[in-house]
Amino acid sequence: MKKGADITTRGDMRISKSPVHMSKVDEILSRGPAERSIIDLVNALVFEAQTLRASDIHIEPGEKGVVVRLRIDGVLQEKFMLDKTIHSEIISRIKVLSWLRTDEHQTAQDGRFRIVLENGEPLDVRVSITPTYYGENAVLRLLADKAEEFTLASLGFSQSDEEKLVRAIRRPHGMILSTGPTGSGKTTTLYTLIKMLNRKEVSIVTIEDPIEYAVSGITQIQINPRTGLTFAQGLRSILRQDPNIIMVGEIRDAETAGIAVNTALTGHLLLSTLHTSDAATTLPRLLDMGVDPYLVASTVNVAIGQRLVRKICEHCKEACPLTQAEVESLAQTLPSGVVLPTKEETKHPVYYRGRGCEHCEQTGYRGRVGINEVLVVDAEVREAILRKASAAVIRDIAVKNGMTTMFGDGLQKARAGQTTISEVLRTINE
């Protein structure tokens, strides 16, 4: 990596890969202050994160130094400790790339820039900078353009859940809602469904914050609150664009929820996300937003609940029995419809773990897979919605009618050797 030569323009920088990967960050930090390039250092941090499959870079100032942590497979790992003297230079460099104000240090700022790797693969980086007690904190989200690679199966959906979703997207109108906390794969699931729906004879329009994947053949709109382009306002505008299918990045408020439901009611297929704990809670949540029960019952086709769990590293996977603590945790966390492992299963090594090796950096995990539940709004569920039944009642009806809960799906994946019981328990309990 030549000093300063890999930056083409502000907001678009080009990075070259080394023939044999080594920590370029450590190499730069080992140089003296006169030879150290902040441009190279910021480039190297982003490249290191991309190489290690990280989704986020956290640059956190402290009293004596700056900690750099990477979120790998959903878990933050401390990777580098930087000298406090170069903190302001690093933040300034990130601001320059993101077209943010370099003279403003007391307010939060958001921006983004794009990296182009040597192989031509683009990598968008979303930037959030916030003032803290010890200085400005920066979080960089890496948004790789890889939507085309995903299928429902690769996202962790079982064959039966995949069939439910395929039936739902074949309907000409209604709502498909994906729910879960931040970072649970909701948007990726919706993009995968959009890819399946993307044909020349249909018009697909999305409104997002931010646009995470670029997809050819569809119209994508970025919201901009500064100009008044919110989800609600954008959704109204989209309806004048003669769409067949609409994706709304998130239903955040009552206004957006009301417009979304009426859009689905008037002959459009609408996909969106909600921040709820599981699929069943989605339906009462819409009622809490002020949507009439009969509108929820008549428009929602499917609610998807999802989480991401770490996959066991295939290079160091080994069979192991469940520990007594895991058996006790299972009993406490067990939702309705899920059967505990038998005594025979807990004694014999039918579950798996990763020992830790160089391929997974001694964590025992490499990559992530979804644990999911797909709640189909059938006649019984509609009746429960109309009488404003609780999420627990709706969940019990769905399980009785064949829904596998997220926890149940997680247990199945643990038994299949894809993940560990402890990872399923950690994710569900969070």
Side-chain angles (χ1 to χ4, degrees):
M1 193 185 297
K2 293 184 180 180
K3 187 175 181 179
D6 52 352
I7 301 298
T8 54
T9 61
R10 284 198 302 180
D12 188 355
M13 59 183 178
R14 190 170 296 275
I15 298 178
S16 299
K17 291 185 178 180
S18 303
V20 178
H21 175 67
M22 59 179 290
S23 177
K24 185 71 174 176
V25 176
D26 288 328
E27 179 189 331
I28 294 170
L29 293 175
S30 67
R31 301 173 188 168
E35 294 80 26
R36 187 185 298 148
S37 165
I38 296 299
I39 290 175
D40 282 354
L41 180 57
V42 172
N43 291 356
L45 283 172
V46 176
F47 177 58
E48 182 79 3
Q50 191 266 347
T51 303
L52 294 175
R53 302 171 295 103
S55 60
D56 300 86
I57 305 170
H58 289 239
I59 302 172
E60 303 167 341
E63 183 179 3
K64 298 179 180 178
V66 181
V67 176
V68 177
R69 298 194 291 171
L70 304 182
R71 188 176 294 279
I72 302 172
D73 295 334
V75 178
L76 279 172
Q77 300 179 24
E78 188 174 314
K79 288 295 180 182
F80 306 103
M81 177 64 77
L82 310 181
D83 195 290
K84 190 68 179 288
T85 58
I86 63 173
H87 171 247
S88 61
E89 295 178 77
I90 291 171
I91 298 298
S92 292
R93 176 59 186 163
I94 293 170
K95 287 181 176 179
V96 167
L97 289 170
S98 309
W99 292 88
L100 301 177
R101 289 187 58 177
T102 57
D103 61 341
E104 179 58 71
H105 306 287
Q106 300 302 319
T107 188
Q109 297 190 71
D110 297 318
R112 64 190 296 158
F113 58 88
R114 168 165 286 200
I115 299 170
V116 181
L117 299 176
E118 190 180 48
N119 62 6
E121 180 184 344
L123 180 68
D124 285 324
V125 181
R126 190 174 71 200
V127 175
S128 173
I129 295 177
T130 305
T132 69
Y133 185 75
Y134 290 111
E136 290 177 287
N137 187 92
V139 177
L140 282 61
R141 166 66 60 89
L142 277 57
L143 304 170
D145 185 14
K146 294 182 179 177
E148 298 296 324
E149 298 178 7
F150 296 120
T151 64
L152 291 176
S154 70
L155 294 179
F157 287 94
S158 65
Q159 184 176 347
S160 62
D161 284 347
E162 186 174 344
E163 289 170 357
K164 292 174 185 176
L165 290 175
V166 169
R167 284 196 296 271
I169 64 175
R170 284 177 178 167
R171 298 182 66 174
H173 54 80
M175 294 176 68
I176 297 173
L177 300 174
S178 181
T179 70
T182 300
S184 59
K186 302 185 297 297
T187 303
T188 302
T189 296
L190 293 190
Y191 268 111
T192 303
L193 295 174
I194 287 290
K195 186 188 74 171
M196 296 168 65
L197 290 163
N198 193 8
R199 303 186 306 277
K200 291 182 179 179
E201 60 268 25
V202 297
S203 170
I204 302 176
V205 183
T206 75
I207 180 162
E208 307 168 61
D209 180 30
I211 297 173
E212 295 195 21
Y213 303 109
V215 182
S216 61
I218 71 174
T219 301
Q220 295 175 271
I221 301 168
Q222 166 79 49
I223 75 163
N224 188 350
R226 293 177 184 175
T227 62
L229 183 57
T230 61
F231 278 122
Q233 183 59 45
L235 189 49
R236 289 192 185 94
S237 300
I238 286 173
L239 291 174
R240 295 190 286 271
Q241 295 283 310
D242 187 31
N244 300 105
I245 299 162
I246 300 169
M247 187 183 98
V248 180
E250 183 184 346
I251 295 177
R252 294 178 178 173
D253 50 49
E255 184 183 12
T256 307
I259 300 170
V261 166
N262 281 288
T263 299
L265 198 63
T266 54
H268 301 86
L269 183 63
L270 186 137
L271 295 79
S272 191
T273 69
L274 273 172
H275 284 284
T276 61
S277 57
D278 57 24
T281 311
T282 304
L283 306 171
R285 174 72 177 132
L286 289 172
L287 300 182
D288 290 342
M289 287 182 168
V291 181
D292 290 332
Y294 79 93
L295 289 176
V296 176
S298 57
T299 55
V300 180
N301 298 337
V302 158
I304 309 164
Q306 53 189 117
R307 297 285 192 281
L308 290 174
V309 295
R310 291 179 292 173
K311 293 168 63 178
I312 298 172
C313 175
E314 291 296 330
H315 297 279
C316 60
K317 183 164 75 173
E318 62 181 12
C320 66
L322 291 181
T323 65
Q324 185 60 34
E326 287 174 333
V327 173
E328 291 173 0
S329 294
L330 279 171
Q332 294 172 2
T333 314
L334 195 69
S336 61
V338 180
V339 180
L340 268 173
T342 64
K343 291 182 179 179
E344 194 67 19
E345 286 182 306
T346 60
K347 288 179 181 177
H348 291 80
V350 293
Y351 288 84
Y352 301 85
R353 69 179 179 188
R355 287 191 314 275
C357 64
E358 61 180 10
H359 296 281
C360 60
E361 298 200 352
Q362 308 304 321
T363 63
Y365 298 98
R366 183 176 174 84
R368 288 191 290 175
V369 67
I371 55 173
N372 313 290
E373 60 187 18
V374 178
L375 190 158
V376 176
V377 180
D378 56 20
E380 280 192 75
V381 174
R382 288 192 188 96
E383 185 182 337
I385 296 169
L386 290 172
R387 65 173 189 267
K388 297 185 178 180
S390 67
V393 170
I394 293 172
R395 184 184 306 109
D396 289 342
I397 293 171
V399 169
K400 178 175 69 72
N401 292 343
M403 183 184 83
T404 301
T405 64
M406 278 186 287
F407 194 30
D409 190 42
L411 286 181
Q412 290 175 13
K413 287 181 168 66
R415 287 168 177 162
Q418 291 180 267
T419 188
T420 63
I421 287 290
S422 60
E423 178 67 6
V424 173
L425 290 169
R426 178 189 70 84
T427 306
I428 293 294
N429 289 333
E430 280 184 352

